[in-house]
């Protein structure tokens, strides 16, 4: 026992010494505050829809722990993988400025082997708002492992609404009763998953979660769709909601009776408890589906006399125009401060000349007898070495820049490790084109972008006449309606290898994604950090050294 204890203590000492070697230079530099987290990832029994499942827990929690931070905080998250397979966490919306190595997707970061650990070292640099984290490998997202991230404004930066009485997180999403391993096997076999079995709010089904409010006070609700397959609508019985923030941008404070939240999207709303004292329903239901799933949570007044009278509020179902008009009504608040003490609108995104137009068309295809999905006819396949790691060590044969075109090809889909090259500080227009009959949801890691236009039909250069070049909202995930298009403007101001993906997780898993390599010949730390000292190395990079500790 003594020998084993000494060996364990020595191993722990080596881990601590290595971590100190990473952190001490940063701490000595007098950086922004540090927040430390230690997370253990395990399997555990969960019953979200009343059926026993194998869930992924973080510190025995489903969903995982909430991350609370302030603009520019450094986040040090030590993740111990106790699963029986490799694991990675990604941080949706955190831009990982100059540091795509920490992005936590297969193209940038080697997975954490079973029984091992990895410490993410990140900064919420010049960001505020509502984000979330999730497991990015092996269809793990279907088992849990996700949680909310709040990045608050620094005290000296004004926020365009009074402090709420409380700040609540609602992680809403669809759910399957099958274990993620069975779902993954179906996809690997070339089969579709079928329709989800139910919806969850914070990991629980009907009335499984309660939010308590005091009469007359106002509360902030941060809403994120962490699901796999469906857009959702949320409404609060007897109450209206005021939109105040979308994925890091303060918005014009429009009032809605309900809100569409597409896959991967996050919103903050204010709700004032101005109704008689009852228990009201928070209702979530699916959008654009022939079968409608719904679930509820409880908005409990502290002076409640019981269940609120009257029926539950109905929501929109398959109406696309309703959702499109709501999306167009979401505008940037040009007078509010962002993470820094200057108005959001001072960036004047509509006055910057576009240097390149990229058109991206999604498609479904059958390749080698199996269901696949593609972007501009390319269905992505992961190489044996993360792209960013191969790029750093100049390992040939892993990928080629330019393996996906700037425009739809119209040809049949094929398998390829697709990487698009782009120049640092270019200013690009990206048009997402959706000729299919289901809504799409697109996310770009490393960036926020301005949504300048969306409409039905086919995009053409004449569509630019409809663009909002003044107060379109800046965000990181955007929907594209069936047989429609959505256009964004994006400054390529973040060097690295960045995942562009569908947030429909089966489509992402089966190839509807690629990587954008934003490159500069500069080797200055001002433009990009080197590989982390504690980086895990795998594939063709195994056995190499990072940097001396």
């Amino acid at each position: 026992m003594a020998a084993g204890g000494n060996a364990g203590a020595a191993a722990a000492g080596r881990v601590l010494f290595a971590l100190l070697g990473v952190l001490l230079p940063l701490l000595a530099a007098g950086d922004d505050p540090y927040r430390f987290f230690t997370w253990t990832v395990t399997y555990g029994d969960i019953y979200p829809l009343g059926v026993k499942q194998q869930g992924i827990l973080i510190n025995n929690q489903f969903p995982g722990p909430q991350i609370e931070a302030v603009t520019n905080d450094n986040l040090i998250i030590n993740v111990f993988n106790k699963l029986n397979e490799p694991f990675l966490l990604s941080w949706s919306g955190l831009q990982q400025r100059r540091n795509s190595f920490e992005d936590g997707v297969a193209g940038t970061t080697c997975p954490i082997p079973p029984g091992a650990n990895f410490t993410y070292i990140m900064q919420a640099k010049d960001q505020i708002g509502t984000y979330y984290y999730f497991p990015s490998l092996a269809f793990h997202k279907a088992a849990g492992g996700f949680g909310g991230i709040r990045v608050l404004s620094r005290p000296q930066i004004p926020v365009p609404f009074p402090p709420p009485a409380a700040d609540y997180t609602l992680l809403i999403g669809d759910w399957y009763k099958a274990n993620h391993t069975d779902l993954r096997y179906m996809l690997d076999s070339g089969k579709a998953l079928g329709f989800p079995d139910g919806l969850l709010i914070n990991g629980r089904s009907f009335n499984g979660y309660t939010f308590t409010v005091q009469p007359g006070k106002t509360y902030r609700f941060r809403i994120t769709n962490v699901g796999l397959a469906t857009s959702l609508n949320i409404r609060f019985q007897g109450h209206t909601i005021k939109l105040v923030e979308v994925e890091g941008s303060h918005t014009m404070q429009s009032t809605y009776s309900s809100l569409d939240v597409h896959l991967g999207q996050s919103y903050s709303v204010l709700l004032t408890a101005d109704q008689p004292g009852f228990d009201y329903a928070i209702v979530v239901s699916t959008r654009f589906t022939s079968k409608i799933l719904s679930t509820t949570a409880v908005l409990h007044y502290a002076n409640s006399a019981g269940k609120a009278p009257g029926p539950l509020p109905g929501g929109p179902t398959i109406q696309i125009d309703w959702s499109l008009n709501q999306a167009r009504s979401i505008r940037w608040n040009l007078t509010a401060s962002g993470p820094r003490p200057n108005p959001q609108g001072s960036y004047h995104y509509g006055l910057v000349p576009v240097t390149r137009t990229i058109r991206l068309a999604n498609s479904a295809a059958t390749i080698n007898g199996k269901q696949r999905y593609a972007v501009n006819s390319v269905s992505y396949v992961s190489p044996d070495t993360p792209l960013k790691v191969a790029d750093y060590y100049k390992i040939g044969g892993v990928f080629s820049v330019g393996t996906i075109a700037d425009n739809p090809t119209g040809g049949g889909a094929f398998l390829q490790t697709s990487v698009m090259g782009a120049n640092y500080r270019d200013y690009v227009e990206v048009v997402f084109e959706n000729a299919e009959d289901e809504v799409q949801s697109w996310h770009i890691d490393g960036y926020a972008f301005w949504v300048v236009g969306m409409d039905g039909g086919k995009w053409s250069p004449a569509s630019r006449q409809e663009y909002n070049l003044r107060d379109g909202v800046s965000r990181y995930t955007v929907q594209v309606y069936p047989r429609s298009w959505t256009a964004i403007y994006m400054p390529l101001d973040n060097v690295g290898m960045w995942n562009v993906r569908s947030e429909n997780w089966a489509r992402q898993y089966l190839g509807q994604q690629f990587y954008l390599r934003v490159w500069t010949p500069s080797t200055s730390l001002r433009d990009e950090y080197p590989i982390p000292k504690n980086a895990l190395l795998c594939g063709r990079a195994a056995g190499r050294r990072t940097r001396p500790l």
Side-chain angles (χ1 to χ4, degrees):
M1 287 294 293
N6 290 339
R14 286 194 296 271
V15 170
L16 179 60
F17 182 79
L19 184 58
L20 287 173
V22 174
L23 297 180
L24 283 176
L26 299 175
L27 294 168
D31 271 356
D32 293 291
Y34 282 72
R35 295 179 187 260
F36 294 86
F37 305 83
T38 300
W39 287 357
T40 301
V41 181
T42 59
Y43 289 125
D45 292 340
I46 58 174
Y47 302 81
L49 293 177
V51 176
K52 180 179 176 180
Q53 291 179 260
Q54 182 188 63
I56 291 179
L57 312 180
I58 299 179
N59 291 356
N60 292 319
Q61 298 178 45
F62 168 73
Q66 176 88 20
I67 292 178
E68 303 274 358
V70 176
T71 300
N72 289 355
D73 278 358
N74 294 282
L75 306 177
I76 314 301
I77 306 175
N78 192 3
V79 178
F80 289 83
N81 177 19
K82 300 298 185 181
L83 307 184
N84 59 2
E85 57 185 343
F87 183 79
L88 268 182
L89 284 172
S90 190
W91 319 90
S92 188
L94 289 185
Q95 293 180 18
Q96 311 292 357
R97 304 295 301 180
R98 300 179 285 170
N99 200 15
S100 62
F101 290 105
E102 302 283 359
D103 199 31
V105 290
T108 65
T109 312
C110 288
I112 308 169
N117 73 300
F118 175 70
T119 301
Y120 292 88
I121 302 173
M122 307 178 292
Q123 186 180 24
K125 179 65 176 173
D126 291 335
Q127 289 189 262
I128 57 166
T130 303
Y131 311 100
Y132 74 105
Y133 62 88
F134 66 95
S136 60
L137 296 182
F139 221 66
H140 287 149
K141 191 179 179 186
F146 48 74
I149 302 173
R150 299 175 190 160
V151 183
L152 304 175
S153 294
R154 287 174 286 179
Q156 64 267 38
I157 307 297
V159 175
F161 50 87
D167 193 329
Y168 290 130
T169 292
L170 285 91
L171 302 175
I172 62 177
D174 51 29
W175 194 258
Y176 291 85
K177 291 180 180 178
N179 284 341
H180 80 279
T181 50
D182 296 327
L183 298 175
R184 186 171 68 205
Y185 178 79
M186 291 172 63
L187 293 175
D188 290 341
S189 301
K191 301 174 184 176
L193 293 185
F195 198 64
D197 295 304
L199 302 181
L200 303 181
I201 299 175
N202 289 354
R204 301 178 189 176
S205 189
F206 284 95
N207 291 343
Y209 207 93
T210 297
F211 300 90
T212 299
V213 296
Q214 297 289 337
K217 295 192 174 182
T218 298
Y219 295 82
R220 182 173 184 168
F221 286 86
R222 298 175 186 261
I223 306 160
T224 297
N225 185 341
V226 297
L228 302 174
T230 53
S231 299
L232 301 174
N233 179 271
I234 186 168
R235 55 252 182 219
F236 295 73
Q237 182 183 14
H239 297 75
T240 57
I241 49 179
K242 182 183 293 183
L243 184 66
V244 294
E245 179 249 338
V246 173
E247 296 165 8
S249 296
H250 293 305
T251 63
M252 298 300 293
Q253 296 181 12
S254 300
T255 298
Y256 299 97
S257 58
S258 71
L259 189 65
D260 276 357
V261 187
H262 303 277
L263 288 165
Q265 292 187 337
S266 297
Y267 293 87
S268 281
V269 301
L270 298 181
L271 178 145
T272 299
D274 55 4
Q275 298 300 306
F278 290 105
D279 285 354
Y280 295 89
I282 303 172
V283 185
V284 175
S285 60
T286 55
R287 290 288 271 123
F288 319 119
T289 57
S290 54
K291 178 184 178 182
I292 306 299
L293 297 176
S294 64
T295 195
T296 55
V298 179
L299 184 71
H300 170 70
Y301 275 61
N303 63 340
S304 174
K307 185 177 179 181
L312 298 183
T317 54
I318 60 172
Q319 303 91 334
I320 293 173
D321 285 349
W322 186 96
S323 188
L324 175 62
N325 289 332
Q326 182 179 81
R328 287 171 168 168
S329 73
I330 298 172
R331 301 298 179 104
W332 214 22
N333 185 338
L334 300 183
T335 61
S337 290
R340 297 177 297 275
N342 61 307
Q344 293 182 141
S346 64
Y347 303 111
H348 299 303
Y349 70 91
L351 301 179
V352 181
V354 170
T355 57
R356 178 179 177 185
T357 295
I358 300 168
R359 295 167 51 216
L360 301 174
N362 51 271
S363 60
T366 301
I367 302 176
N368 299 329
K370 294 183 177 182
Q371 178 69 65
R372 296 288 298 186
Y373 298 94
V375 188
N376 288 0
S377 300
V378 186
S379 186
Y380 182 83
V381 289
S382 292
D384 58 6
T385 307
L387 307 171
K388 184 61 187 172
V389 174
D391 208 16
Y392 182 81
Y393 289 110
K394 297 180 172 57
I395 300 172
V398 175
F399 72 93
S400 296
V401 176
T403 39
I404 180 172
D406 277 20
N407 296 286
T409 65
F414 58 93
L415 302 174
Q416 179 78 50
T417 301
S418 39
V419 177
M420 181 180 289
N423 294 321
Y424 181 43
R425 293 190 174 144
D426 273 1
Y427 192 74
V428 299
E429 171 190 43
V430 180
V431 182
F432 297 102
E433 301 180 2
N434 178 19
E436 298 185 74
D437 289 325
E438 60 179 286
V439 65
Q440 303 290 321
S441 190
W442 286 94
H443 175 91
I444 302 179
D445 280 350
Y447 287 94
F449 47 73
W450 287 279
V451 182
V452 296
M454 57 177 63
D455 205 351
K458 293 186 177 181
W459 181 89
S460 72
S463 303
R464 295 185 178 117
Q465 298 174 14
E466 304 174 23
Y467 283 5
N468 175 3
L469 300 181
R470 183 174 183 272
D471 60 357
V473 72
S474 173
R475 63 187 313 166
Y476 56 79
T477 307
V478 70
Q479 72 274 24
V480 191
Y481 293 102
R483 301 193 179 278
S484 301
W485 57 267
T486 295
I488 65 172
Y489 279 0
M490 186 168 71
L492 299 184
D493 59 357
N494 196 10
V495 175
M497 188 77 70
W498 304 109
N499 190 222
V500 182
R501 64 174 177 267
S502 171
E503 285 291 322
N504 179 308
W505 218 239
R507 296 183 78 107
Q508 178 270 351
Y509 184 82
L510 294 179
Q512 192 172 314
Q513 60 172 308
F514 67 95
Y515 282 82
L516 182 68
R517 179 183 185 254
V518 180
W519 186 80
T520 175
S522 164
T523 57
S524 170
L525 293 180
R526 178 195 62 198
D527 297 326
E528 188 177 24
Y529 296 140
I531 194 167
K533 294 178 181 179
N534 67 327
L536 301 173
L537 297 179
C538 57
R540 304 185 206 183
R544 296 179 182 244
R545 297 188 63 184
T546 56
R547 293 178 289 145
L549 286 170

